[in-house]
Amino acid sequence: MNKKQLQSEQTKKRVADAARGLFGQKGYKATSIEDIVEATGSSKGNIYYHFKSKEGLFLYLLDEWDREWEQTWKQKEPTYKTTTEKLYGVAEQLVLEDMNHPLTKAADEFFNNEEKTSDVEERISEMVARHVAFNRNLLQQGMESGEFNQANVERLAVILEGLIIGLGQMSRKSKPEDALELYRSAVQIFLHGIAKPNG
């Protein structure tokens, strides 16, 4: 990386860090590009050079959050013996991460905003597809080890993602221990259902 590229990367990081703080503090809608200009000392043009729009900048931060989440998970994953334990582990990490992450509120606001450009919709779809692929790999492990019944893993991965998204919305105002209990129950029901076994 030459000096110019290095400076460009440093500027991008400075803008992203300042924006993360502002979005966390003020929320998504209340944070303007002008606020980010003021916080970084970068020009508007410089910010738009690195990020096409405020949405683009926010999606970049969400991608970063996703990557950090996966890194944390990769470090924890070997501590679980079974895929069932891993599912409970994922639920726990989701609750603790979401409850404590500075972008959680801004992300809710962002996703509930009706006006999204097609490239933003596309980026959101890519993000969801990445989450579904993560679920699929986890469930596939359980099927290959004989822990879970063989089933349509693609469909189950989508159902699991729908469950996680819904739980995230429903537990936003819960205490962490209540949210954790809710997620654990959801994993249990996902794995075992609620119908009594026949006979």
Side-chain angles (χ1 to χ4, degrees):
M1 197 182 279
N2 66 34
K3 194 178 174 190
K4 195 174 179 193
Q5 287 170 316
L6 186 64
Q7 282 176 328
S8 179
E9 275 307 303
Q10 286 170 337
T11 302
K12 187 175 184 175
K13 186 182 177 347
R14 197 174 70 243
V15 169
D17 289 346
R20 187 185 302 106
L22 286 165
F23 285 131
Q25 198 184 335
K26 298 175 76 168
Y28 176 74
K29 277 186 189 158
T31 301
S32 66
I33 288 292
E34 285 73 22
D35 294 330
I36 299 164
V37 165
E38 203 176 302
T40 57
S42 289
S43 68
K44 235 188 222 188
N46 206 345
I47 291 170
Y48 286 130
Y49 170 77
H50 293 287
F51 307 100
K52 276 202 297 197
S53 60
K54 182 171 112 170
E55 291 90 342
L57 172 50
F58 194 72
L59 283 165
Y60 173 84
L61 294 173
L62 292 180
D63 271 344
E64 225 178 33
W65 178 7
D66 254 6
R67 283 193 298 277
E68 287 163 11
W69 194 96
E70 281 180 28
Q71 280 306 111
T72 306
W73 173 251
K74 278 179 185 149
Q75 289 164 356
K76 272 189 194 172
E77 191 177 11
T79 65
Y80 301 105
K81 289 182 185 75
T82 65
T83 312
T84 299
E85 284 178 15
K86 286 179 188 180
L87 278 171
Y88 284 106
V90 164
E92 190 173 304
Q93 187 175 316
L94 283 167
V95 171
L96 300 177
E97 269 279 317
D98 276 5
M99 292 272 175
N100 299 313
H101 201 281
L103 287 180
T104 297
K105 269 193 177 141
D108 286 348
E109 204 184 326
F110 176 77
F111 287 116
N112 292 326
N113 179 10
E114 270 87 69
E115 309 147 32
K116 289 188 190 73
T117 59
S118 59
D119 63 325
V120 168
E121 290 284 6
E122 200 176 304
R123 294 273 299 279
I124 292 170
S125 295
E126 285 166 17
M127 212 176 282
V128 171
R130 229 177 30 236
H131 294 175
V132 170
F134 174 89
N135 296 344
R136 184 175 53 242
N137 292 338
L138 199 55
L139 295 169
Q140 193 70 56
Q141 283 176 29
M143 287 178 197
E144 285 166 11
S145 69
E147 218 178 311
F148 302 158
N149 289 325
Q150 289 297 323
N152 184 326
V153 73
E154 195 62 46
R155 199 173 298 151
L156 286 176
V158 171
I159 291 168
L160 183 56
E161 187 57 22
L163 188 60
I164 289 166
I165 290 170
L167 288 169
Q169 293 295 311
M170 301 298 287
S171 64
R172 275 294 177 257
K173 290 179 172 64
S174 306
K175 291 186 205 138
E177 57 274 17
D178 294 340
L180 207 47
E181 204 44 58
L182 186 67
Y183 273 67
R184 283 186 185 131
S185 298
V187 171
Q188 190 177 5
I189 291 166
F190 178 78
L191 289 170
H192 307 291
I194 57 169
K196 281 185 176 177
N198 290 335

